[in-house]
PDB file of all heavy atoms in Angstrom:
ATOM      1  N   LEU Q  16     123.125  75.092  59.509  1.00 93.00           N
ATOM      2  CA  LEU Q  16     124.252  76.016  59.456  1.00 93.00           C
ATOM      3  C   LEU Q  16     124.744  76.067  58.020  1.00 93.00           C
ATOM      4  O   LEU Q  16     124.953  75.032  57.394  1.00 93.00           O
ATOM      5  CB  LEU Q  16     125.376  75.538  60.386  1.00 93.00           C
ATOM      6  CG  LEU Q  16     126.632  76.392  60.462  1.00 93.00           C
ATOM      7  CD1 LEU Q  16     126.311  77.763  61.069  1.00 93.00           C
ATOM      8  CD2 LEU Q  16     127.700  75.684  61.289  1.00 93.00           C
ATOM      9  N   ALA Q  17     124.924  77.263  57.501  1.00 94.00           N
ATOM     10  CA  ALA Q  17     125.402  77.418  56.129  1.00 94.00           C
ATOM     11  C   ALA Q  17     126.596  78.349  56.122  1.00 94.00           C
ATOM     12  O   ALA Q  17     126.686  79.273  56.932  1.00 94.00           O
ATOM     13  CB  ALA Q  17     124.291  77.994  55.244  1.00 94.00           C
ATOM     14  N   GLY Q  18     127.517  78.070  55.241  1.00 95.00           N
ATOM     15  CA  GLY Q  18     128.707  78.901  55.113  1.00 95.00           C
ATOM     16  C   GLY Q  18     129.654  78.312  54.083  1.00 95.00           C
ATOM     17  O   GLY Q  18     129.305  77.377  53.358  1.00 95.00           O
ATOM     18  N   ARG Q  19     130.862  78.869  54.052  1.00 95.00           N
ATOM     19  CA  ARG Q  19     131.871  78.351  53.126  1.00 95.00           C
ATOM     20  C   ARG Q  19     132.215  76.899  53.466  1.00 95.00           C
ATOM     21  O   ARG Q  19     132.090  76.463  54.610  1.00 95.00           O
ATOM     22  CB  ARG Q  19     133.133  79.215  53.203  1.00 95.00           C
ATOM     23  CG  ARG Q  19     132.947  80.616  52.643  1.00 95.00           C
ATOM     24  CD  ARG Q  19     134.252  81.402  52.638  1.00 95.00           C
ATOM     25  NE  ARG Q  19     135.034  81.200  53.843  1.00 95.00           N
ATOM     26  CZ  ARG Q  19     134.955  81.969  54.933  1.00 95.00           C
ATOM     27  NH1 ARG Q  19     134.155  82.989  54.959  1.00 95.00           N
ATOM     28  NH2 ARG Q  19     135.699  81.716  55.975  1.00 95.00           N
ATOM     29  N   ARG Q  20     132.664  76.155  52.466  1.00 97.00           N
ATOM     30  CA  ARG Q  20     132.957  74.735  52.619  1.00 97.00           C
ATOM     31  C   ARG Q  20     133.919  74.469  53.784  1.00 97.00           C
ATOM     32  O   ARG Q  20     133.707  73.569  54.589  1.00 97.00           O
ATOM     33  CB  ARG Q  20     133.550  74.189  51.309  1.00 97.00           C
ATOM     34  CG  ARG Q  20     133.786  72.701  51.308  1.00 97.00           C
ATOM     35  CD  ARG Q  20     134.330  72.216  49.971  1.00 97.00           C
ATOM     36  NE  ARG Q  20     133.550  72.667  48.839  1.00 97.00           N
ATOM     37  CZ  ARG Q  20     132.495  72.029  48.328  1.00 97.00           C
ATOM     38  NH1 ARG Q  20     132.111  70.894  48.856  1.00 97.00           N
ATOM     39  NH2 ARG Q  20     131.849  72.509  47.285  1.00 97.00           N
ATOM     40  N   GLU Q  21     134.971  75.277  53.912  1.00 97.00           N
ATOM     41  CA  GLU Q  21     135.956  75.079  54.987  1.00 97.00           C
ATOM     42  C   GLU Q  21     135.317  75.295  56.362  1.00 97.00           C
ATOM     43  O   GLU Q  21     135.590  74.581  57.317  1.00 97.00           O
ATOM     44  CB  GLU Q  21     137.139  76.043  54.822  1.00 97.00           C
ATOM     45  CG  GLU Q  21     137.885  75.913  53.510  1.00 97.00           C
ATOM     46  CD  GLU Q  21     137.181  76.617  52.353  1.00 97.00           C
ATOM     47  OE1 GLU Q  21     136.444  77.602  52.576  1.00 97.00           O
ATOM     48  OE2 GLU Q  21     137.355  76.159  51.203  1.00 97.00           O
ATOM     49  N   PHE Q  22     134.470  76.311  56.453  1.00 97.00           N
ATOM     50  CA  PHE Q  22     133.782  76.621  57.709  1.00 97.00           C
ATOM     51  C   PHE Q  22     132.868  75.461  58.118  1.00 97.00           C
ATOM     52  O   PHE Q  22     132.861  75.033  59.268  1.00 97.00           O
ATOM     53  CB  PHE Q  22     132.971  77.916  57.550  1.00 97.00           C
ATOM     54  CG  PHE Q  22     132.091  78.226  58.722  1.00 97.00           C
ATOM     55  CD1 PHE Q  22     132.623  78.717  59.909  1.00 97.00           C
ATOM     56  CD2 PHE Q  22     130.714  78.051  58.637  1.00 97.00           C
ATOM     57  CE1 PHE Q  22     131.804  79.006  60.987  1.00 97.00           C
ATOM     58  CE2 PHE Q  22     129.889  78.339  59.711  1.00 97.00           C
ATOM     59  CZ  PHE Q  22     130.441  78.817  60.889  1.00 97.00           C
ATOM     60  N   ILE Q  23     132.114  74.931  57.178  1.00 96.00           N
ATOM     61  CA  ILE Q  23     131.199  73.819  57.462  1.00 96.00           C
ATOM     62  C   ILE Q  23     131.990  72.572  57.850  1.00 96.00           C
ATOM     63  O   ILE Q  23     131.611  71.838  58.767  1.00 96.00           O
ATOM     64  CB  ILE Q  23     130.263  73.545  56.275  1.00 96.00           C
ATOM     65  CG1 ILE Q  23     129.372  74.770  56.026  1.00 96.00           C
ATOM     66  CG2 ILE Q  23     129.426  72.297  56.490  1.00 96.00           C
ATOM     67  CD1 ILE Q  23     128.503  75.174  57.199  1.00 96.00           C
ATOM     68  N   ALA Q  24     133.127  72.312  57.185  1.00 97.00           N
ATOM     69  CA  ALA Q  24     133.956  71.155  57.541  1.00 97.00           C
ATOM     70  C   ALA Q  24     134.452  71.277  58.977  1.00 97.00           C
ATOM     71  O   ALA Q  24     134.441  70.302  59.740  1.00 97.00           O
ATOM     72  CB  ALA Q  24     135.132  71.037  56.562  1.00 97.00           C
ATOM     73  N   GLU Q  25     134.865  72.484  59.365  1.00 96.00           N
ATOM     74  CA  GLU Q  25     135.319  72.699  60.743  1.00 96.00           C
ATOM     75  C   GLU Q  25     134.158  72.536  61.718  1.00 96.00           C
ATOM     76  O   GLU Q  25     134.309  71.913  62.776  1.00 96.00           O
ATOM     77  CB  GLU Q  25     135.928  74.099  60.874  1.00 96.00           C
ATOM     78  CG  GLU Q  25     136.476  74.374  62.259  1.00 96.00           C
ATOM     79  CD  GLU Q  25     137.065  75.768  62.389  1.00 96.00           C
ATOM     80  OE1 GLU Q  25     137.269  76.455  61.367  1.00 96.00           O
ATOM     81  OE2 GLU Q  25     137.311  76.170  63.541  1.00 96.00           O
ATOM     82  N   ALA Q  26     132.999  73.082  61.382  1.00 94.00           N
ATOM     83  CA  ALA Q  26     131.819  72.953  62.256  1.00 94.00           C
ATOM     84  C   ALA Q  26     131.436  71.484  62.411  1.00 94.00           C
ATOM     85  O   ALA Q  26     131.067  71.040  63.506  1.00 94.00           O
ATOM     86  CB  ALA Q  26     130.657  73.757  61.684  1.00 94.00           C
ATOM     87  N   TRP Q  27     131.535  70.727  61.332  1.00 92.00           N
ATOM     88  CA  TRP Q  27     131.223  69.302  61.369  1.00 92.00           C
ATOM     89  C   TRP Q  27     132.148  68.578  62.357  1.00 92.00           C
ATOM     90  O   TRP Q  27     131.699  67.768  63.163  1.00 92.00           O
ATOM     91  CB  TRP Q  27     131.374  68.729  59.959  1.00 92.00           C
ATOM     92  CG  TRP Q  27     130.990  67.291  59.837  1.00 92.00           C
ATOM     93  CD1 TRP Q  27     131.790  66.214  59.994  1.00 92.00           C
ATOM     94  CD2 TRP Q  27     129.693  66.784  59.538  1.00 92.00           C
ATOM     95  NE1 TRP Q  27     131.104  65.062  59.804  1.00 92.00           N
ATOM     96  CE2 TRP Q  27     129.787  65.382  59.527  1.00 92.00           C
ATOM     97  CE3 TRP Q  27     128.467  67.367  59.279  1.00 92.00           C
ATOM     98  CZ2 TRP Q  27     128.705  64.553  59.268  1.00 92.00           C
ATOM     99  CZ3 TRP Q  27     127.393  66.539  59.009  1.00 92.00           C
ATOM    100  CH2 TRP Q  27     127.523  65.157  59.016  1.00 92.00           C
ATOM    101  N   CYS Q  28     133.434  68.889  62.309  1.00 93.00           N
ATOM    102  CA  CYS Q  28     134.401  68.258  63.221  1.00 93.00           C
ATOM    103  C   CYS Q  28     134.119  68.642  64.670  1.00 93.00           C
ATOM    104  O   CYS Q  28     134.145  67.796  65.564  1.00 93.00           O
ATOM    105  CB  CYS Q  28     135.824  68.656  62.841  1.00 93.00           C
ATOM    106  SG  CYS Q  28     136.405  67.909  61.312  1.00 93.00           S
ATOM    107  N   VAL Q  29     133.853  69.914  64.913  1.00 92.00           N
ATOM    108  CA  VAL Q  29     133.566  70.372  66.274  1.00 92.00           C
ATOM    109  C   VAL Q  29     132.298  69.710  66.796  1.00 92.00           C
ATOM    110  O   VAL Q  29     132.238  69.278  67.946  1.00 92.00           O
ATOM    111  CB  VAL Q  29     133.452  71.917  66.327  1.00 92.00           C
ATOM    112  CG1 VAL Q  29     132.931  72.387  67.667  1.00 92.00           C
ATOM    113  CG2 VAL Q  29     134.806  72.550  66.022  1.00 92.00           C
ATOM    114  N   ARG Q  30     131.291  69.600  65.960  1.00 89.00           N
ATOM    115  CA  ARG Q  30     130.056  68.934  66.373  1.00 89.00           C
ATOM    116  C   ARG Q  30     130.338  67.499  66.795  1.00 89.00           C
ATOM    117  O   ARG Q  30     129.860  67.021  67.823  1.00 89.00           O
ATOM    118  CB  ARG Q  30     129.038  68.945  65.234  1.00 89.00           C
ATOM    119  CG  ARG Q  30     127.712  68.266  65.612  1.00 89.00           C
ATOM    120  CD  ARG Q  30     126.771  68.180  64.422  1.00 89.00           C
ATOM    121  NE  ARG Q  30     127.269  67.352  63.353  1.00 89.00           N
ATOM    122  CZ  ARG Q  30     127.072  66.023  63.248  1.00 89.00           C
ATOM    123  NH1 ARG Q  30     126.405  65.389  64.177  1.00 89.00           N
ATOM    124  NH2 ARG Q  30     127.553  65.362  62.232  1.00 89.00           N
ATOM    125  N   LYS Q  31     131.143  66.791  66.018  1.00 88.00           N
ATOM    126  CA  LYS Q  31     131.500  65.403  66.347  1.00 88.00           C
ATOM    127  C   LYS Q  31     132.287  65.335  67.656  1.00 88.00           C
ATOM    128  O   LYS Q  31     132.055  64.469  68.492  1.00 88.00           O
ATOM    129  CB  LYS Q  31     132.322  64.772  65.221  1.00 88.00           C
ATOM    130  CG  LYS Q  31     131.534  64.450  64.000  1.00 88.00           C
ATOM    131  CD  LYS Q  31     130.615  63.296  64.278  1.00 88.00           C
ATOM    132  CE  LYS Q  31     130.267  62.608  62.982  1.00 88.00           C
ATOM    133  NZ  LYS Q  31     129.316  61.540  63.216  1.00 88.00           N
ATOM    134  N   LEU Q  32     133.251  66.264  67.830  1.00 90.00           N
ATOM    135  CA  LEU Q  32     134.046  66.298  69.058  1.00 90.00           C
ATOM    136  C   LEU Q  32     133.196  66.520  70.300  1.00 90.00           C
ATOM    137  O   LEU Q  32     133.473  65.996  71.374  1.00 90.00           O
ATOM    138  CB  LEU Q  32     135.112  67.395  68.970  1.00 90.00           C
ATOM    139  CG  LEU Q  32     136.303  67.121  68.076  1.00 90.00           C
ATOM    140  CD1 LEU Q  32     137.156  68.373  67.923  1.00 90.00           C
ATOM    141  CD2 LEU Q  32     137.144  65.977  68.646  1.00 90.00           C
ATOM    142  N   LEU Q  33     132.134  67.325  70.154  1.00 89.00           N
ATOM    143  CA  LEU Q  33     131.268  67.645  71.286  1.00 89.00           C
ATOM    144  C   LEU Q  33     130.127  66.650  71.461  1.00 89.00           C
ATOM    145  O   LEU Q  33     129.277  66.825  72.328  1.00 89.00           O
ATOM    146  CB  LEU Q  33     130.714  69.064  71.139  1.00 89.00           C
ATOM    147  CG  LEU Q  33     131.767  70.170  71.156  1.00 89.00           C
ATOM    148  CD1 LEU Q  33     131.127  71.523  70.877  1.00 89.00           C
ATOM    149  CD2 LEU Q  33     132.510  70.192  72.483  1.00 89.00           C
ATOM    150  N   GLY Q  34     130.111  65.614  70.649  1.00 84.00           N
ATOM    151  CA  GLY Q  34     129.098  64.570  70.792  1.00 84.00           C
ATOM    152  C   GLY Q  34     127.800  64.861  70.079  1.00 84.00           C
ATOM    153  O   GLY Q  34     126.792  64.217  70.349  1.00 84.00           O
ATOM    154  N   GLY Q  35     127.788  65.818  69.165  1.00 75.00           N
ATOM    155  CA  GLY Q  35     126.561  66.140  68.438  1.00 75.00           C
ATOM    156  C   GLY Q  35     126.267  65.114  67.368  1.00 75.00           C
ATOM    157  O   GLY Q  35     127.133  64.359  66.943  1.00 75.00           O
ATOM    158  N   GLY Q  36     125.057  65.044  66.980  1.00 75.00           N
ATOM    159  CA  GLY Q  36     124.638  64.131  65.923  1.00 75.00           C
ATOM    160  C   GLY Q  36     123.433  63.335  66.381  1.00 75.00           C
ATOM    161  O   GLY Q  36     123.204  63.167  67.572  1.00 75.00           O
ATOM    162  N   MET Q  37     122.643  62.889  65.431  1.00 76.00           N
ATOM    163  CA  MET Q  37     121.439  62.140  65.755  1.00 76.00           C
ATOM    164  C   MET Q  37     121.227  61.034  64.739  1.00 76.00           C
ATOM    165  O   MET Q  37     121.527  61.194  63.562  1.00 76.00           O
ATOM    166  CB  MET Q  37     120.208  63.056  65.696  1.00 76.00           C
ATOM    167  CG  MET Q  37     120.183  64.169  66.686  1.00 76.00           C
ATOM    168  SD  MET Q  37     118.645  65.109  66.549  1.00 76.00           S
ATOM    169  CE  MET Q  37     117.497  63.904  67.176  1.00 76.00           C
ATOM    170  N   ARG Q  38     120.656  59.982  65.222  1.00 76.00           N
ATOM    171  CA  ARG Q  38     120.163  58.953  64.316  1.00 76.00           C
ATOM    172  C   ARG Q  38     118.693  59.282  64.062  1.00 76.00           C
ATOM    173  O   ARG Q  38     118.050  59.958  64.842  1.00 76.00           O
ATOM    174  CB  ARG Q  38     120.291  57.579  64.962  1.00 76.00           C
ATOM    175  CG  ARG Q  38     121.735  57.234  65.303  1.00 76.00           C
ATOM    176  CD  ARG Q  38     121.908  55.733  65.327  1.00 76.00           C
ATOM    177  NE  ARG Q  38     123.209  55.321  65.794  1.00 76.00           N
ATOM    178  CZ  ARG Q  38     124.339  55.458  65.127  1.00 76.00           C
ATOM    179  NH1 ARG Q  38     124.352  56.055  63.980  1.00 76.00           N
ATOM    180  NH2 ARG Q  38     125.468  55.015  65.625  1.00 76.00           N
ATOM    181  N   GLN Q  39     118.156  58.810  63.007  1.00 79.00           N
ATOM    182  CA  GLN Q  39     116.758  59.030  62.664  1.00 79.00           C
ATOM    183  C   GLN Q  39     116.415  60.519  62.572  1.00 79.00           C
ATOM    184  O   GLN Q  39     115.328  60.951  62.937  1.00 79.00           O
ATOM    185  CB  GLN Q  39     115.822  58.353  63.681  1.00 79.00           C
ATOM    186  CG  GLN Q  39     116.164  56.922  64.010  1.00 79.00           C
ATOM    187  CD  GLN Q  39     116.242  56.025  62.779  1.00 79.00           C
ATOM    188  OE1 GLN Q  39     115.552  56.242  61.805  1.00 79.00           O
ATOM    189  NE2 GLN Q  39     117.112  55.031  62.826  1.00 79.00           N
ATOM    190  N   ALA Q  40     117.361  61.299  62.100  1.00 83.00           N
ATOM    191  CA  ALA Q  40     117.156  62.745  61.997  1.00 83.00           C
ATOM    192  C   ALA Q  40     116.170  63.119  60.898  1.00 83.00           C
ATOM    193  O   ALA Q  40     115.677  64.249  60.860  1.00 83.00           O
ATOM    194  CB  ALA Q  40     118.495  63.442  61.756  1.00 83.00           C
ATOM    195  N   GLY Q  41     115.836  62.179  60.039  1.00 86.00           N
ATOM    196  CA  GLY Q  41     114.903  62.467  58.958  1.00 86.00           C
ATOM    197  C   GLY Q  41     113.530  62.888  59.443  1.00 86.00           C
ATOM    198  O   GLY Q  41     112.848  63.696  58.806  1.00 86.00           O
ATOM    199  N   VAL Q  42     113.096  62.347  60.572  1.00 87.00           N
ATOM    200  CA  VAL Q  42     111.794  62.724  61.134  1.00 87.00           C
ATOM    201  C   VAL Q  42     111.806  64.199  61.498  1.00 87.00           C
ATOM    202  O   VAL Q  42     110.867  64.945  61.190  1.00 87.00           O
ATOM    203  CB  VAL Q  42     111.455  61.855  62.362  1.00 87.00           C
ATOM    204  CG1 VAL Q  42     110.183  62.337  63.034  1.00 87.00           C
ATOM    205  CG2 VAL Q  42     111.333  60.393  61.956  1.00 87.00           C
ATOM    206  N   LEU Q  43     112.884  64.636  62.141  1.00 86.00           N
ATOM    207  CA  LEU Q  43     112.991  66.055  62.500  1.00 86.00           C
ATOM    208  C   LEU Q  43     113.181  66.915  61.260  1.00 86.00           C
ATOM    209  O   LEU Q  43     112.669  68.033  61.184  1.00 86.00           O
ATOM    210  CB  LEU Q  43     114.144  66.268  63.479  1.00 86.00           C
ATOM    211  CG  LEU Q  43     113.942  65.673  64.868  1.00 86.00           C
ATOM    212  CD1 LEU Q  43     115.187  65.874  65.714  1.00 86.00           C
ATOM    213  CD2 LEU Q  43     112.723  66.263  65.544  1.00 86.00           C
ATOM    214  N   ALA Q  44     113.903  66.392  60.279  1.00 90.00           N
ATOM    215  CA  ALA Q  44     114.092  67.142  59.041  1.00 90.00           C
ATOM    216  C   ALA Q  44     112.763  67.359  58.329  1.00 90.00           C
ATOM    217  O   ALA Q  44     112.531  68.417  57.735  1.00 90.00           O
ATOM    218  CB  ALA Q  44     115.082  66.418  58.128  1.00 90.00           C
TER     219      ALA Q  44
END
């Protein structure tokens, strides 16, 4: 996801609130 800094900060918080995130994401990256 790309966008303005404020938008990404909000998306980051929402992702955390909804339980998003992964460990070992480098393999997928």
Side-chain angles (χ1 to χ4, degrees):
L16 180 65
R19 291 184 319 268
R20 185 178 309 272
E21 301 80 28
F22 173 75
I23 297 301
E25 183 181 348
W27 184 270
C28 289
V29 170
R30 180 185 64 88
K31 287 289 204 183
L32 286 171
L33 297 175
M37 296 183 70
R38 300 206 187 289
Q39 312 305 329
V42 174
L43 292 176

